[in-house]
Amino acid sequence: MLAFHKKPPLPINKTAIITTLLIGTAQLLTGCDSQPSSSNNDAIAQTDVTDKGMAKKDDRSVNPAPINATDADKTEAIEAVSLFDEKTVSPSGYEKLSFGQIITPELLSDLGLTRAEGDNESCYYVINPTLSYVDKEYGKRASMLYQIIDNKVALISIQDPNIAFYKGINVGDSATDVMKAHNDALTYEVDKYAVDGDYYSLLANVNFKVIKDSQLGESLTAENIELDNKEDKLPLQIEYHIKGGQKLSDYKIKSTEWTAENKSLLKGEVESIDIGIPAAIYLVEGCS
């Protein structure tokens, strides 16, 4: 795990505090009505805050508040969730990278990420070379890929079965497990190069709903979607790449058009999981 160090707090200026105390004492003795200068005001405020903070600290050490067992359990649970989330791919991103975040060479260096070879400056992938696994078919592979489009994080791809995903689905899980995790609200699409349906995708929308269908092969645009919230969140999609499937009645089945027969015919297991902006999800050829 990468280590990040916060800057130490600014040192307290002892001379300024002593000077302030002397000035305050002199004013009380002489009954002077004149106001201290602006710099003295700042120093006095700093001293007052420091004294109050020290007093509160002393109070807590002398009379500590009783610990409620329920509150302690909640605190531990929150800390556990925070730690879990950091190691879980989710709509927030993964570890120190989030969707829409601007990427610079300096940031990649700080995070220990390396860029894959290629000449495409507007679309490329980066990996963590220390995060890998051994695939039975392909050998040693990167556990995850970050897709960068226009210098921003656009998509995260999970290839390693050991990488946690916030929906509780892992690489290697069955198509049935995926459907259950999303309450069957998934769109089915056959892979462009798999006419027999042996490779297909199950897609879910995050933070938005579709209000107008896009044309065949086209990505969703701002005119096609409506955000589910008023917060400043990017519309995202999840794409489960499934292998070992079979041909269904159509190359595409919308999330609202599933039949019991089609559901029963779903076969295969998750080969990889992508989560990212729709423009990245709909890039059939990736960055090539």
Side-chain angles (χ1 to χ4, degrees):
M1 182 177 179
L2 300 171
F4 288 83
H5 304 282
K6 294 183 179 179
K7 294 183 178 179
L10 295 175
I12 298 174
N13 191 325
K14 295 182 179 179
T15 304
I17 294 176
I18 294 172
T19 303
T20 302
L21 290 173
L22 291 175
I23 292 173
T25 304
Q27 289 175 344
L28 289 173
L29 292 174
T30 58
C32 179
D33 293 333
S34 62
Q35 298 294 323
S37 64
S38 175
S39 60
N40 286 338
N41 273 329
D42 294 339
I44 291 171
Q46 181 180 357
T47 304
D48 186 48
V49 170
T50 303
D51 290 342
K52 289 180 179 178
M54 293 177 66
K56 290 181 179 179
K57 183 177 181 181
D58 291 341
D59 289 342
R60 288 196 298 267
S61 60
V62 175
N63 299 307
I67 298 176
N68 185 298
T70 302
D71 291 339
D73 291 341
K74 288 181 180 179
T75 300
E76 291 179 2
I78 291 173
E79 291 176 351
V81 169
S82 297
L83 180 62
F84 180 77
D85 286 347
E86 185 178 337
K87 287 295 184 181
T88 301
V89 179
S90 73
S92 298
Y94 184 75
E95 291 190 336
K96 304 299 180 182
L97 289 181
S98 57
F99 295 104
Q101 182 177 355
I102 296 175
I103 297 299
T104 63
E106 293 76 18
L107 178 61
L108 293 180
S109 177
D110 290 343
L111 297 179
L113 301 176
T114 58
R115 178 175 169 176
E117 295 182 1
D119 298 326
N120 194 334
E121 294 297 325
S122 63
C123 181
Y124 57 91
Y125 293 92
V126 297
I127 64 169
N128 183 343
T130 65
L131 196 61
S132 63
Y133 75 107
V134 178
D135 183 86
K136 293 180 180 179
E137 183 177 354
Y138 301 104
K140 187 176 181 180
R141 303 178 76 195
S143 295
M144 296 171 53
L145 302 173
Y146 296 95
Q147 186 178 25
I148 313 301
I149 298 178
D150 295 333
N151 296 320
K152 295 180 181 179
V153 179
L155 179 141
I156 296 175
S157 181
I158 303 172
Q159 302 184 131
D160 187 344
N162 296 312
I163 297 295
F165 189 55
Y166 83 109
K167 295 301 291 186
I169 297 298
N170 293 79
V171 170
D173 285 351
S174 69
T176 302
D177 291 334
V178 175
M179 290 291 282
K180 287 181 179 178
H182 289 269
N183 297 318
D184 294 350
L186 291 163
T187 296
Y188 165 94
E189 287 188 10
V190 176
D191 187 275
K192 178 180 179 180
Y193 300 108
V195 293
D196 292 331
D198 50 343
Y199 280 92
Y200 65 93
S201 297
L202 292 174
L203 295 101
N205 302 327
V206 182
N207 300 331
F208 75 94
K209 59 184 177 182
V210 177
I211 58 176
K212 180 182 177 182
D213 290 333
S214 57
Q215 298 297 316
L216 177 62
E218 290 184 349
S219 170
L220 292 172
T221 63
E223 291 75 22
N224 297 81
I225 65 176
E226 180 181 23
L227 292 176
D228 289 337
N229 54 72
K230 301 300 180 182
E231 300 175 24
D232 186 21
K233 291 185 178 180
L234 288 173
L236 301 173
Q237 285 185 299
I238 302 168
E239 182 172 20
Y240 298 94
H241 296 277
I242 312 291
K243 64 178 180 179
Q246 59 183 330
K247 191 172 184 179
L248 299 187
S249 59
D250 199 356
Y251 83 96
K252 180 175 182 178
I253 301 173
K254 297 180 182 179
S255 59
T256 56
E257 296 177 348
W258 281 100
T259 64
E261 181 182 1
N262 281 330
K263 290 177 186 177
S264 66
L265 291 175
L266 277 181
K267 304 293 181 183
E269 64 180 36
V270 178
E271 184 176 51
S272 63
I273 305 171
D274 293 347
I275 178 171
I277 62 174
I281 293 290
Y282 277 81
L283 285 178
V284 177
E285 305 293 344
C287 286
S288 60

